[in-house]
Amino acid sequence: MAHSHDVPTDLTRNQGLVLGALNHSESPLSAYDILDKLRADGLRAPLQVYRALDKLVERGLAHRLESLNAFVACADEHCHRKGLIAFAICEGCGKVDEFADSVIEERLGHWAGAKGFKVERTTMEIRGKCEACVAAA
Amino acid sequence: MAHSHDVPTDLTRNQGLVLGALNHSESPLSAYDILDKLRADGLRAPLQVYRALDKLVERGLAHRLESLNAFVACADEHCHRKGLIAFAICEGCGKVDEFADSVIEERLGHWAGAKGFKVERTTMEIRGKCEACVAAA
DNA sequence: GCGGCAAGTGTAATAACATAACATATCACG
DNA sequence: CGTGATATGTTATGTTATTACACTTGCCGC
Ligand SMILES: [Zn+2]
Ligand SMILES: [Zn+2]
Ligand SMILES: [Zn+2]
Ligand SMILES: [Zn+2]
Protein backbone atom coordinates (compact mmCIF):
# COMPACT_ATOMS: atom_id res chain seq x y z
CA MET A 1 0.00 0.00 0.00
CA ALA A 2 1.30 3.36 -0.98
CA HIS A 3 -0.08 5.28 1.97
CA SER A 4 -1.73 4.42 5.22
CA HIS A 5 -3.72 7.52 6.00
CA ASP A 6 -6.54 7.39 8.42
CA VAL A 7 -9.34 8.35 6.10
CA PRO A 8 -11.77 10.85 7.61
CA THR A 9 -15.07 9.20 8.40
CA ASP A 10 -17.34 11.97 7.25
CA LEU A 11 -16.73 11.45 3.58
CA THR A 12 -19.55 10.38 1.35
CA ARG A 13 -19.36 7.01 -0.36
CA ASN A 14 -18.00 8.37 -3.62
CA GLN A 15 -15.54 10.67 -1.92
CA GLY A 16 -14.28 7.76 0.16
CA LEU A 17 -13.87 5.55 -2.87
CA VAL A 18 -11.98 8.21 -4.80
CA LEU A 19 -9.70 9.06 -1.90
CA GLY A 20 -9.08 5.36 -1.38
CA ALA A 21 -8.04 4.95 -4.99
CA LEU A 22 -5.61 7.86 -4.67
CA ASN A 23 -4.21 6.57 -1.41
CA HIS A 24 -3.53 3.17 -2.89
CA SER A 25 -1.69 4.53 -5.90
CA GLU A 26 2.05 5.07 -6.09
CA SER A 27 1.61 7.85 -8.58
CA PRO A 28 -0.88 10.46 -9.68
CA LEU A 29 -4.12 9.33 -11.26
CA SER A 30 -6.25 11.11 -13.82
CA ALA A 31 -9.97 11.31 -13.17
CA TYR A 32 -10.46 8.65 -15.83
CA ASP A 33 -7.83 6.39 -14.24
CA ILE A 34 -9.78 6.66 -11.01
CA LEU A 35 -13.04 5.95 -12.79
CA ASP A 36 -11.60 2.78 -14.29
CA LYS A 37 -10.43 1.60 -10.87
CA LEU A 38 -13.84 2.21 -9.38
CA ARG A 39 -16.11 0.69 -12.00
CA ALA A 40 -16.24 -2.45 -9.88
CA ASP A 41 -17.60 -0.32 -7.08
CA GLY A 42 -20.40 0.99 -9.21
CA LEU A 43 -19.06 4.24 -10.53
CA ARG A 44 -19.96 4.81 -14.13
CA ALA A 45 -19.54 8.42 -15.14
CA PRO A 46 -16.64 10.90 -15.08
CA LEU A 47 -18.76 13.40 -13.23
CA GLN A 48 -19.05 11.16 -10.22
CA VAL A 49 -15.28 11.21 -9.94
CA TYR A 50 -14.89 14.91 -10.68
CA ARG A 51 -17.45 15.83 -8.07
CA ALA A 52 -15.72 13.77 -5.42
CA LEU A 53 -12.35 15.21 -6.42
CA ASP A 54 -13.67 18.75 -6.13
CA LYS A 55 -14.65 18.14 -2.53
CA LEU A 56 -11.44 16.34 -1.65
CA VAL A 57 -9.30 19.09 -3.15
CA GLU A 58 -11.40 21.73 -1.43
CA ARG A 59 -10.74 20.02 1.91
CA GLY A 60 -7.06 19.56 1.20
CA LEU A 61 -7.29 15.78 1.23
CA ALA A 62 -6.16 15.60 -2.37
CA HIS A 63 -4.27 17.86 -4.73
CA ARG A 64 -4.52 18.50 -8.40
CA LEU A 65 -1.31 18.47 -10.42
CA GLU A 66 -1.91 20.98 -13.18
CA SER A 67 0.97 19.91 -15.35
CA LEU A 68 -0.30 16.34 -15.44
CA ASN A 69 -4.06 16.84 -15.35
CA ALA A 70 -3.97 14.34 -12.53
CA PHE A 71 -4.54 14.04 -8.81
CA VAL A 72 -2.73 12.77 -5.74
CA ALA A 73 -3.76 12.16 -2.16
CA CYS A 74 -2.33 14.71 0.22
CA ALA A 75 0.89 13.39 1.68
CA ASP A 76 0.34 15.12 4.97
CA GLU A 77 -0.89 12.59 7.53
CA HIS A 78 -3.14 15.03 9.22
CA CYS A 79 -4.09 17.10 6.25
CA HIS A 80 -3.30 20.41 7.81
CA ARG A 81 -0.70 21.72 5.46
CA LYS A 82 -1.04 25.45 5.21
CA GLY A 83 0.00 27.82 2.51
CA LEU A 84 2.00 27.16 -0.57
CA ILE A 85 2.60 23.55 -1.49
CA ALA A 86 5.16 22.43 -4.05
CA PHE A 87 5.36 19.15 -5.90
CA ALA A 88 8.39 17.44 -7.35
CA ILE A 89 7.24 15.04 -10.02
CA CYS A 90 9.57 12.34 -11.32
CA GLU A 91 9.28 11.75 -15.06
CA GLY A 92 10.91 8.37 -14.61
CA CYS A 93 8.85 6.58 -11.99
CA GLY A 94 5.95 8.97 -11.61
CA LYS A 95 6.40 9.46 -7.91
CA VAL A 96 5.47 12.80 -6.43
CA ASP A 97 7.10 14.49 -3.49
CA GLU A 98 4.98 17.10 -1.75
CA PHE A 99 6.69 19.79 0.25
CA ALA A 100 6.27 23.26 1.66
CA ASP A 101 8.81 26.03 1.71
CA SER A 102 8.22 29.09 3.78
CA VAL A 103 11.05 31.04 2.17
CA ILE A 104 9.47 30.68 -1.24
CA GLU A 105 6.09 31.50 0.19
CA GLU A 106 7.38 34.63 1.81
CA ARG A 107 9.18 35.64 -1.34
CA LEU A 108 6.03 35.28 -3.38
CA GLY A 109 4.10 37.21 -0.79
CA HIS A 110 6.64 39.96 -1.08
CA TRP A 111 6.33 40.08 -4.85
CA ALA A 112 2.54 40.11 -4.62
CA GLY A 113 2.57 42.86 -2.01
CA ALA A 114 4.78 45.06 -4.15
CA LYS A 115 2.52 44.56 -7.17
CA GLY A 116 -0.78 44.84 -5.33
CA PHE A 117 -1.66 41.36 -6.53
CA LYS A 118 -4.04 39.42 -4.32
CA VAL A 119 -2.98 35.76 -4.34
CA GLU A 120 -5.73 33.20 -4.17
CA ARG A 121 -3.91 30.02 -5.10
CA THR A 122 -0.46 28.99 -6.20
CA THR A 123 0.67 26.12 -8.37
CA MET A 124 4.24 25.01 -8.14
CA GLU A 125 5.39 21.87 -9.89
CA ILE A 126 8.91 20.72 -10.54
CA ARG A 127 9.41 18.15 -13.26
CA GLY A 128 12.55 16.08 -13.41
CA LYS A 129 14.07 12.87 -12.16
CA CYS A 130 14.16 11.60 -8.61
CA GLU A 131 17.38 10.38 -7.07
CA ALA A 132 16.62 6.71 -7.74
CA CYS A 133 15.80 7.34 -11.40
CA VAL A 134 18.90 9.48 -11.91
CA ALA A 135 21.01 6.68 -10.44
CA ALA A 136 19.33 4.11 -12.66
CA ALA A 137 19.86 6.12 -15.83
CA MET B 1 -1.62 46.13 -29.89
CA ALA B 2 -0.77 44.20 -26.74
CA HIS B 3 2.90 43.75 -27.48
CA SER B 4 5.31 45.06 -30.00
CA HIS B 5 7.95 42.39 -30.15
CA ASP B 6 10.27 42.15 -33.06
CA VAL B 7 9.32 38.75 -34.30
CA PRO B 8 12.32 36.62 -35.27
CA THR B 9 12.52 36.24 -39.01
CA ASP B 10 13.45 32.59 -39.12
CA LEU B 11 10.05 31.31 -38.11
CA THR B 12 8.02 29.24 -40.50
CA ARG B 13 4.74 30.57 -41.76
CA ASN B 14 2.61 28.74 -39.20
CA GLN B 15 4.95 29.57 -36.36
CA GLY B 16 4.84 33.22 -37.32
CA LEU B 17 1.07 33.25 -37.51
CA VAL B 18 0.71 31.60 -34.11
CA LEU B 19 3.23 33.87 -32.43
CA GLY B 20 1.51 36.83 -34.02
CA ALA B 21 -1.81 35.76 -32.60
CA LEU B 22 -0.29 35.46 -29.14
CA ASN B 23 1.46 38.80 -29.40
CA HIS B 24 -1.75 40.54 -30.32
CA SER B 25 -3.72 39.12 -27.44
CA GLU B 26 -4.13 40.77 -24.06
CA SER B 27 -4.56 37.43 -22.39
CA PRO B 28 -3.62 33.78 -22.79
CA LEU B 29 -5.07 31.85 -25.69
CA SER B 30 -5.87 28.19 -25.91
CA ALA B 31 -4.70 26.32 -28.98
CA TYR B 32 -8.26 26.31 -30.23
CA ASP B 33 -8.62 30.05 -29.62
CA ILE B 34 -5.54 30.53 -31.77
CA LEU B 35 -6.92 28.22 -34.43
CA ASP B 36 -10.11 30.25 -34.62
CA LYS B 37 -8.16 33.46 -35.03
CA LEU B 38 -6.10 31.96 -37.83
CA ARG B 39 -8.76 30.28 -39.92
CA ALA B 40 -8.77 33.31 -42.16
CA ASP B 41 -5.08 32.67 -42.77
CA GLY B 42 -5.73 29.16 -43.90
CA LEU B 43 -5.18 27.13 -40.76
CA ARG B 44 -7.67 24.35 -40.39
CA ALA B 45 -6.53 21.76 -37.89
CA PRO B 46 -5.51 21.86 -34.21
CA LEU B 47 -2.33 20.06 -35.04
CA GLN B 48 -1.08 22.93 -37.13
CA VAL B 49 -1.34 25.13 -34.07
CA TYR B 50 0.05 22.61 -31.61
CA ARG B 51 3.06 21.97 -33.80
CA ALA B 52 3.85 25.65 -34.05
CA LEU B 53 3.35 26.09 -30.31
CA ASP B 54 5.76 23.25 -29.57
CA LYS B 55 8.49 25.00 -31.48
CA LEU B 56 7.75 28.40 -30.01
CA VAL B 57 7.74 27.07 -26.47
CA GLU B 58 10.92 25.12 -27.14
CA ARG B 59 12.58 28.35 -28.26
CA GLY B 60 11.22 30.31 -25.34
CA LEU B 61 9.18 32.62 -27.56
CA ALA B 62 5.98 31.45 -25.95
CA HIS B 63 5.04 29.84 -22.66
CA ARG B 64 2.43 27.33 -21.71
CA LEU B 65 0.30 28.07 -18.67
CA GLU B 66 -0.47 24.68 -17.20
CA SER B 67 -3.25 25.84 -14.95
CA LEU B 68 -5.13 27.32 -17.88
CA ASN B 69 -4.22 24.95 -20.69
CA ALA B 70 -3.33 28.07 -22.60
CA PHE B 71 -0.39 29.93 -24.04
CA VAL B 72 1.14 33.39 -23.91
CA ALA B 73 3.88 35.09 -25.87
CA CYS B 74 7.05 35.54 -23.86
CA ALA B 75 7.01 38.97 -22.26
CA ASP B 76 10.77 39.34 -22.50
CA GLU B 77 11.62 41.59 -25.42
CA HIS B 78 14.72 39.69 -26.31
CA CYS B 79 13.58 36.26 -25.33
CA HIS B 80 16.57 35.48 -23.22
CA ARG B 81 14.98 34.81 -19.90
CA LYS B 82 16.92 32.15 -18.09
CA GLY B 83 15.89 29.77 -15.41
CA LEU B 84 12.69 29.68 -13.46
CA ILE B 85 9.84 31.80 -14.70
CA ALA B 86 6.76 32.57 -12.66
CA PHE B 87 3.39 33.79 -13.85
CA ALA B 88 0.80 35.79 -11.97
CA ILE B 89 -2.55 35.26 -13.62
CA CYS B 90 -5.46 37.57 -12.88
CA GLU B 91 -8.81 35.80 -12.62
CA GLY B 92 -10.54 39.09 -13.20
CA CYS B 93 -9.11 40.48 -16.40
CA GLY B 94 -7.04 37.53 -17.60
CA LYS B 95 -3.82 39.45 -17.75
CA VAL B 96 -0.62 37.59 -17.05
CA ASP B 97 2.47 39.02 -15.45
CA GLU B 98 5.66 37.08 -16.18
CA PHE B 99 8.56 37.42 -13.77
CA ALA B 100 11.70 35.73 -12.55
CA ASP B 101 12.92 35.43 -9.00
CA SER B 102 16.42 34.27 -8.31
CA VAL B 103 15.78 33.74 -4.61
CA ILE B 104 13.03 31.27 -5.35
CA GLU B 105 15.15 29.64 -7.98
CA GLU B 106 18.02 29.24 -5.59
CA ARG B 107 15.75 27.91 -2.91
CA LEU B 108 14.35 25.30 -5.25
CA GLY B 109 17.84 24.37 -6.35
CA HIS B 110 18.73 23.88 -2.73
CA TRP B 111 15.77 21.61 -2.11
CA ALA B 112 16.55 19.62 -5.23
CA GLY B 113 20.21 19.27 -4.33
CA ALA B 114 19.36 17.96 -0.87
CA LYS B 115 16.93 15.42 -2.33
CA GLY B 116 19.08 14.36 -5.26
CA PHE B 117 16.28 15.47 -7.58
CA LYS B 118 17.35 16.55 -11.05
CA VAL B 119 15.15 19.46 -12.12
CA GLU B 120 14.24 19.65 -15.78
CA ARG B 121 11.45 22.18 -15.78
CA THR B 122 9.47 24.16 -13.28
CA THR B 123 5.94 25.45 -13.41
CA MET B 124 5.00 28.28 -11.13
CA GLU B 125 1.65 29.97 -11.49
CA ILE B 126 -0.05 32.33 -9.09
CA ARG B 127 -3.78 32.78 -9.49
CA GLY B 128 -5.52 35.76 -7.99
CA LYS B 129 -6.51 39.33 -8.74
CA CYS B 130 -4.34 42.06 -10.11
CA GLU B 131 -4.24 45.46 -8.48
CA ALA B 132 -6.70 47.01 -10.92
CA CYS B 133 -9.22 44.20 -10.47
CA VAL B 134 -8.92 44.31 -6.67
CA ALA B 135 -9.58 48.04 -6.78
CA ALA B 136 -12.58 47.55 -9.05
CA ALA B 137 -14.15 44.91 -6.83
C1' DG C 1 20.75 17.42 -61.71
C1' DC C 2 19.30 14.03 -58.52
C1' DG C 3 18.88 10.69 -54.49
C1' DG C 4 18.25 11.01 -49.79
C1' DC C 5 17.22 13.02 -45.54
C1' DA C 6 15.31 16.36 -42.19
C1' DA C 7 11.87 19.51 -41.16
C1' DG C 8 7.54 21.30 -42.10
C1' DT C 9 2.72 20.88 -43.65
C1' DG C 10 -2.26 19.18 -44.54
C1' DT C 11 -5.99 16.27 -43.19
C1' DA C 12 -8.86 13.01 -40.87
C1' DA C 13 -9.72 10.39 -37.11
C1' DT C 14 -9.47 9.60 -32.39
C1' DA C 15 -8.07 9.90 -27.55
C1' DA C 16 -8.06 12.25 -23.18
C1' DC C 17 -9.86 15.61 -20.07
C1' DA C 18 -13.89 18.21 -18.27
C1' DT C 19 -18.60 20.20 -17.77
C1' DA C 20 -23.78 21.15 -18.66
C1' DA C 21 -28.30 19.86 -17.85
C1' DC C 22 -31.71 17.46 -15.68
C1' DA C 23 -33.78 14.01 -12.70
C1' DT C 24 -33.72 11.66 -8.31
C1' DA C 25 -32.24 10.60 -3.66
C1' DT C 26 -30.74 11.50 1.05
C1' DC C 27 -30.45 13.86 5.22
C1' DA C 28 -30.65 17.70 8.69
C1' DC C 29 -33.76 20.50 10.88
C1' DG C 30 -37.88 23.17 12.24
C1' DC D 1 -44.21 15.95 7.73
C1' DG D 2 -42.11 20.10 4.56
C1' DT D 3 -38.34 22.40 2.99
C1' DG D 4 -33.63 23.30 1.73
C1' DA D 5 -28.96 21.83 1.17
C1' DT D 6 -26.03 18.33 -0.43
C1' DA D 7 -25.05 14.26 -2.91
C1' DT D 8 -25.98 11.13 -6.67
C1' DG D 9 -27.05 8.96 -11.32
C1' DT D 10 -27.23 9.47 -16.23
C1' DT D 11 -26.86 11.29 -20.85
C1' DA D 12 -25.00 14.30 -23.76
C1' DT D 13 -21.78 17.58 -24.96
C1' DG D 14 -17.73 20.58 -24.91
C1' DT D 15 -12.73 21.29 -24.76
C1' DT D 16 -7.94 20.00 -25.11
C1' DA D 17 -4.39 17.06 -27.28
C1' DT D 18 -2.43 13.29 -30.06
C1' DT D 19 -1.90 9.45 -33.62
C1' DA D 20 -1.38 8.14 -38.22
C1' DC D 21 -0.44 8.84 -42.79
C1' DA D 22 0.48 11.32 -47.05
C1' DC D 23 2.73 15.03 -49.18
C1' DT D 24 5.94 19.08 -49.73
C1' DT D 25 10.04 21.76 -49.19
C1' DG D 26 14.78 22.89 -48.47
C1' DC D 27 19.24 21.23 -48.10
C1' DC D 28 23.44 18.39 -48.61
C1' DG D 29 26.50 15.25 -50.95
C1' DC D 30 27.27 12.94 -54.99
ZN1 LIG E 1 -1.05 18.06 0.91
ZN1 LIG F 1 11.82 8.42 -10.20
ZN1 LIG G 1 9.24 34.50 -21.18
ZN1 LIG H 1 -7.03 41.93 -13.40
Side-chain angles (χ1 to χ4, degrees):
Chain A
M1 197 181 302
H3 300 264
S4 55
H5 293 178
D6 291 331
V7 175
T9 55
D10 62 336
L11 296 175
T12 65
R13 167 177 160 81
N14 288 358
Q15 289 164 16
L17 286 169
V18 168
L19 185 54
L22 290 176
N23 272 329
H24 288 76
S25 172
E26 288 287 339
S27 37
L29 298 175
S30 76
Y32 282 76
D33 291 339
I34 295 169
L35 178 56
D36 287 340
K37 284 179 182 273
L38 296 179
R39 284 195 196 280
D41 297 286
L43 267 67
R44 297 160 172 278
L47 200 47
Q48 295 175 292
V49 174
Y50 280 109
R51 286 199 278 227
L53 283 169
D54 281 348
K55 293 298 179 188
L56 294 172
V57 168
E58 190 180 307
R59 293 185 51 174
L61 299 172
H63 301 291
R64 174 181 173 87
L65 300 176
E66 300 286 357
S67 67
L68 294 178
N69 294 331
F71 300 82
V72 287
C74 178
D76 186 314
E77 277 291 321
H78 299 297
C79 305
H80 286 306
R81 187 98 82 186
K82 303 175 184 66
L84 184 148
I85 307 171
F87 301 91
I89 302 165
C90 177
E91 312 264 12
C93 62
K95 283 194 188 133
V96 174
D97 199 332
E98 174 181 345
F99 65 102
D101 188 306
S102 59
V103 171
I104 293 176
E105 192 170 359
E106 186 195 318
R107 187 76 184 171
L108 268 186
H110 179 260
W111 180 92
K115 284 281 191 176
F117 191 95
K118 179 159 171 278
V119 177
E120 277 159 14
R121 183 157 54 87
T122 303
T123 293
M124 186 151 179
E125 298 174 18
I126 308 171
R127 308 288 292 267
K129 294 248 199 268
C130 75
E131 185 160 34
C133 287
V134 169
Chain B
M1 194 183 304
H3 299 266
S4 55
H5 293 177
D6 291 331
V7 174
T9 55
D10 62 337
L11 296 175
T12 65
R13 167 176 160 84
N14 288 358
Q15 289 163 18
L17 287 170
V18 168
L19 184 54
L22 290 176
N23 272 331
H24 287 75
S25 173
E26 288 288 338
S27 38
L29 297 176
S30 75
Y32 283 75
D33 291 339
I34 295 169
L35 178 56
D36 287 340
K37 282 178 182 276
L38 296 179
R39 285 194 195 281
D41 298 285
L43 268 67
R44 298 161 170 280
L47 198 47
Q48 296 175 292
V49 175
Y50 279 110
R51 287 197 280 226
L53 284 169
D54 281 348
K55 293 297 178 190
L56 294 173
V57 168
E58 191 180 305
R59 292 184 53 174
L61 299 173
H63 301 291
R64 175 183 173 84
L65 301 176
E66 300 286 357
S67 67
L68 293 179
N69 294 329
F71 301 82
V72 287
C74 178
D76 187 314
E77 275 291 321
H78 299 299
C79 305
H80 286 305
R81 188 98 82 185
K82 302 175 183 67
L84 183 148
I85 307 171
F87 301 90
I89 303 165
C90 178
E91 313 264 10
C93 61
K95 283 195 188 134
V96 174
D97 197 333
E98 174 180 344
F99 66 101
D101 187 307
S102 60
V103 171
I104 292 176
E105 190 169 2
E106 188 196 318
R107 186 77 184 169
L108 268 186
H110 179 260
W111 180 92
K115 283 281 192 177
F117 191 95
K118 179 160 172 276
V119 176
E120 277 159 14
R121 183 156 56 86
T122 303
T123 292
M124 185 151 184
E125 298 173 18
I126 308 172
R127 307 288 293 268
K129 296 248 199 264
C130 75
E131 186 160 35
C133 287
V134 169

